[in-house]
Amino acid sequence: MWQSSPPGSIYDYIRVASFSIGPDGLIEQWSRRAAGLFGMASHEAVGKDPVEAFMPAELRSNAHRRVGEILDGKEWTGLVPFRMPGESGVQGLAEIYVMPSETGSGERAALCIVVDVRALRRIETDLAASQAIFGQSPFGFVLFGTDFTVVRANQRFATVFGGEADDHRGRTVDDYLARPEADRLSSTLKRVLETGDAVTDLQLVGTVPGSSDRRHWSMNLYRVHSGAGRPIGVAGLATDVTGRHIAARDAASARRNLALLNEASARIGNSLDLETTARELLDVAVPGFCDLASVDLYQGLLTGDEASPGSWGRLRQESGSGSAELRRVAEASAVSDALPDVLPGAGLRGGAYPDGDADPGPPALGSVHRYPFNSPCAVALRTGRVEDVPGDERGFVHSTLAVPMVAHDIVIGLVQFSRTKGSEPFGERDRALATELAARAAVCIDNARLYRREHERALILQRSLLPPGDPEAAGLDIACRYLPGNTATEVGGDWFDVIELPGHRTALVVGDVMGRGLRAAVAMGELRTAVRTLALLDLEPAEVLSALDEVARGLGTPGGGDRSDGFGGGGGAQWPSRAAHKSREADLSEVYLATCVYAVYDSVTRRCTFANAGHLPPVVVEPGEPALLLDVPPGMPLGVGGEPFEEVEVELKEGALLALYTDGLVESRDHPLDEGLQAFQEALAEPSQPLEDVCDHVLATLDTRHGEDDIALLMARIQGLPVDAVGDWRLPRELRSVGRARELARAQLTAWDLDDLVDTTELLVSELVTNALRYGEGEIRLRLLRDRTLVCEVWDAGLVQPRRRRARDTDEGGRGLQLVGLLSAAWGSRRTPRGKTVWFELALPDGESAAELSVEQLLSMY
């Protein structure tokens, strides 16, 4: 059957021409291909001698001989250089195949087949290059036909998929790849063949014969054309990129791990709460690192057990019955909420349950549980090493790590990371990352534990140093409030105090140690104790603050003094350098800086004397008047030193309200100090209400829930002693004043219905007035005050303070102050601007007869 040569025939690439030579040696026939090859039309070539027309002159004699031999019937094949007509140089090289022939009349002729050697050499070179690339390529090379079957594959491709290269002819992509990948490659081949658009780096995944390992290939596909431009198939170049894929995966894993660690550094440990820190760990790990996670902490750690941390998990483990009690404090899941029972807890597998119990399943959030002794979780807790936990029977969780939480070489709990089916199982890098995440969280949790312990101790110390809830004072109605900062805030150094002074006077104190934590609480306690001690010396407010300033400066100096730079003159142990010592002193002294307001109120005169050491000003609200900030010079904070403190004396009206407070009441991040002070003054607009209600109203009105600082509020309503509760007389400096003093005291006590105290008061007044006459100076003043107790004061202008001493057996006197000390509830003396005051105090009768002095007490005076 005759048919046309299809496009893409070899003749499309090779230039083949023909012509014939007649018996006379001249060209008889000239084909069109010959015209194209030699550049001469048929009418120009027919009838010419081919040797003369095309051969160079130096080759013509030999060429004529060859033509003669051909016409004699001899075949010849050879390379013949030729020149184009009109050209002088050799233009080409032709391979000619000459076949003798005969004409119709029997004469000898010849048929010549001519091939352009240049085109032939190009084809040979191209074929050699193609074979080298296709056959010797280190990459898998495959050619798909238009029906997408393999037309040709190189040996590298056969090496990967088995057999010889020719064995792969006729195969399809389904013979090499699983269905999803095969379908994807088939659709890509079809698209490339139809559109001619090449595809580069097509990622394919599969396995090779004899191996279950997943391999990754990168495939480049392009359409192949014939010489005539007709598509004849698709060529594919496949490169095994499994190593590169693994490296990229490892690099991505490393980047992810670094990102997770960076996120962990930023997010874990922002809270000083143990449970919150555990949840922060899981927020980082799920779903970035795993699908499921849980955190268990030792129950002893959560309950604040002060035993050695290492003993939390030791008891049950040593007994061989399992781990110590743990509490599940956090859990997280990136899977469906319909699967709550897949959360890890399952380190319970791999060991017998106590008392033969069945598998209880994962512990509930907040529950207390134990792990069996041989379970992976118990082993991890016992050894401090990461353990692999077997997957569950359903195959949902297929990879779990039980990671002990270790802080300072102590295991404090366990975190479990799990991956579900479809996620890659944990590798060595994952184990290292899990250990690092758990360790970071463990350190933060342990720090939170230590902080909580210090916070609780500081809180206990602070509460123990505050005055009782309902302090009492003569001439004052007192209410107080103390609000600590929130649990995330360290204990502050705020304090207040109400100190009863002789003469029915009262010292009111509010202070604030700068700094936080246990050291601030300790400093507060030391300063409060110092204030009470100084107050009992009955010093003026400015003197109290000056002495307190010295105390504060001493608290900030380790050891109380300087040390030399060295110990001895040569080597051996050395003290810290002076610079380091001073640096440490500076750090410590900053902790012990404090502000304080000290006020002394006299219930007889209703006058109050203030001194301020860098604290906020007191607030006074008089009946019918707006609240005012008292203009008390603030002075420098305690611990700074070098500046004297000033006093301000203010007479307060009956019913006036006095408020002392710390900065936490009026200042926060959201409210500047000026706004807070203004709001505080406005909140005191109704001072006539019960004092407790006023305190509640102030705290409800102001921003007191910020939790940034402690809040102390001390409020006092002025209630001066009534005129009839005070007896005040001046006596001349003469002996008969002793008798006059007894008479005045007896009369006043009788008027007050205190007959039970007459005899004792007369005796003691007589002793004090006698001492004032004997050892004092100037006019004598006698004053009796009745409030919750009876106070007797004897004033004179002398500066010598009385001193109680034990009289010798031979002494005739010296027993007066002993008698005062035995018969009174309390006694003492204090300096005044114009001398001194000696006083004693007696409890008011409660209806029972007073206890008589024992014989030993009476004899001790003689």
Side-chain angles (χ1 to χ4, degrees), residues 747-818:
Q748 185 66 69
L749 293 181
T750 301
W752 287 341
D753 293 329
L754 297 177
D755 296 334
D756 292 343
L757 300 180
V758 170
D759 293 340
T760 303
T761 304
E762 277 191 272
L763 177 60
L764 299 184
V765 165
S766 178
E767 288 292 337
L768 295 187
V769 173
T770 299
N771 284 343
L773 288 172
R774 181 176 299 178
Y775 305 108
E777 298 177 6
E779 186 182 38
I780 298 173
R781 182 181 178 187
L782 172 64
R783 190 167 74 167
L784 294 178
L785 309 174
R786 187 198 66 185
D787 191 66
R788 291 179 295 118
T789 62
L790 175 67
V791 174
C792 175
E793 298 175 331
V794 176
W795 306 44
D796 70 79
L799 297 178
V800 178
Q801 297 291 320
R803 181 172 61 88
R804 181 179 176 181
R805 62 184 178 86
R806 180 176 292 276
R808 292 175 295 185
D809 295 341
T810 58
D811 290 343
E812 295 183 358
R815 295 176 177 85
L817 292 181
Q818 284 184 276

Side-chain angles (χ1 to χ4, degrees), residues 381-404:
L381 289 168
R382 194 162 54 245
T383 62
R385 295 192 299 267
V386 180
E387 293 290 330
D388 292 308
V389 179
D392 58 19
E393 291 78 3
R394 295 168 297 174
F396 186 81
V397 175
H398 72 97
S399 183
T400 298
L401 296 178
V403 186

Side-chain angles (χ1 to χ4, degrees), residues 285-359:
V286 179
F289 177 67
C290 62
D291 302 315
L292 308 164
S294 68
V295 176
D296 300 320
L297 296 179
Y298 277 122
Q299 182 71 350
L301 178 145
L302 296 169
T303 57
D305 185 2
E306 291 299 326
S308 171
S311 66
W312 290 328
R314 187 177 301 150
L315 180 60
R316 296 279 301 183
Q317 293 169 358
E318 287 181 350
S319 65
S321 58
S323 69
E325 289 186 339
L326 299 107
R327 186 193 304 171
R328 177 142 298 182
V329 297
E331 57 186 28
S333 171
V335 297
S336 172
D337 293 337
L339 299 170
D341 58 337
V342 301
L343 285 167
L348 299 171
R349 297 181 181 84
Y353 293 95
D355 305 322
D357 294 341
D359 184 348

Side-chain angles (χ1 to χ4, degrees), residues 320-614:
S321 58
S323 69
E325 289 186 339
L326 299 107
R327 186 193 304 171
R328 177 142 298 182
V329 297
E331 57 186 28
S333 171
V335 297
S336 172
D337 293 337
L339 299 170
D341 58 337
V342 301
L343 285 167
L348 299 171
R349 297 181 181 84
Y353 293 95
D355 305 322
D357 294 341
D359 184 348
L365 182 64
S367 65
V368 177
H369 60 280
R370 293 186 176 96
Y371 290 113
F373 185 78
N374 292 325
S375 65
C377 289
V379 173
L381 289 168
R382 194 162 54 245
T383 62
R385 295 192 299 267
V386 180
E387 293 290 330
D388 292 308
V389 179
D392 58 19
E393 291 78 3
R394 295 168 297 174
F396 186 81
V397 175
H398 72 97
S399 183
T400 298
L401 296 178
V403 186
M405 304 181 74
V406 183
H408 310 298
D409 297 328
I410 298 297
V411 178
I412 64 173
L414 184 79
V415 57
Q416 295 183 70
F417 302 106
S418 297
R419 288 180 179 174
T420 58
K421 188 176 181 179
S423 300
E424 292 187 2
F426 291 111
E428 286 302 318
R429 289 189 177 183
D430 294 324
R431 292 169 69 92
L433 177 60
T435 302
E436 179 66 21
L437 289 175
R440 293 193 179 200
V443 170
C444 293
I445 289 175
D446 194 54
N447 289 341
R449 176 187 67 85
L450 296 174
Y451 165 77
R452 185 180 65 181
R453 184 178 66 181
E454 179 176 322
H455 185 274
E456 290 174 351
R457 290 177 177 176
L459 206 57
I460 293 172
L461 174 63
Q462 187 182 53
R463 297 298 182 270
S464 67
L465 295 174
L466 293 176
D470 298 315
E472 296 181 353
L476 292 175
D477 180 17
I478 295 177
C480 53
R481 294 290 187 275
Y482 187 87
L483 299 180
N486 57 37
T487 55
T489 306
E490 290 188 89
V491 172
D494 294 13
W495 92 92
F496 64 91
D497 209 346
V498 178
I499 307 170
E500 292 189 74
L501 301 177
H504 289 315
R505 294 173 304 132
T506 303
L508 304 175
V509 189
V510 168
D512 184 2
V513 175
M514 298 181 187
R516 295 186 175 279
L518 185 59
R519 296 182 67 196
V522 171
M524 179 269 283
E526 293 176 319
L527 291 177
R528 177 182 179 273
T529 302
V531 168
R532 280 191 158 264
T533 303
L534 294 169
L536 294 178
L537 295 177
D538 220 344
L539 302 177
E540 295 298 321
E543 293 178 311
V544 170
L545 292 187
S546 296
L548 197 61
D549 178 61
E550 293 293 332
V551 172
R553 293 166 63 189
L555 293 177
T557 304
D562 294 334
R563 289 173 176 168
S564 59
D565 290 340
F567 183 75
Q574 298 288 321
W575 289 105
S577 68
R578 186 177 298 273
H581 181 65
K582 289 184 177 180
S583 175
R584 185 180 175 208
E585 284 184 352
D587 294 340
L588 292 175
S589 63
E590 183 179 359
V591 174
Y592 287 106
L593 291 177
T595 63
C596 180
V597 169
Y598 185 87
V600 174
Y601 169 71
D602 189 334
S603 61
V604 178
T605 62
R606 295 199 314 275
R607 300 187 70 83
C608 191
T609 305
F610 296 91
N612 189 352

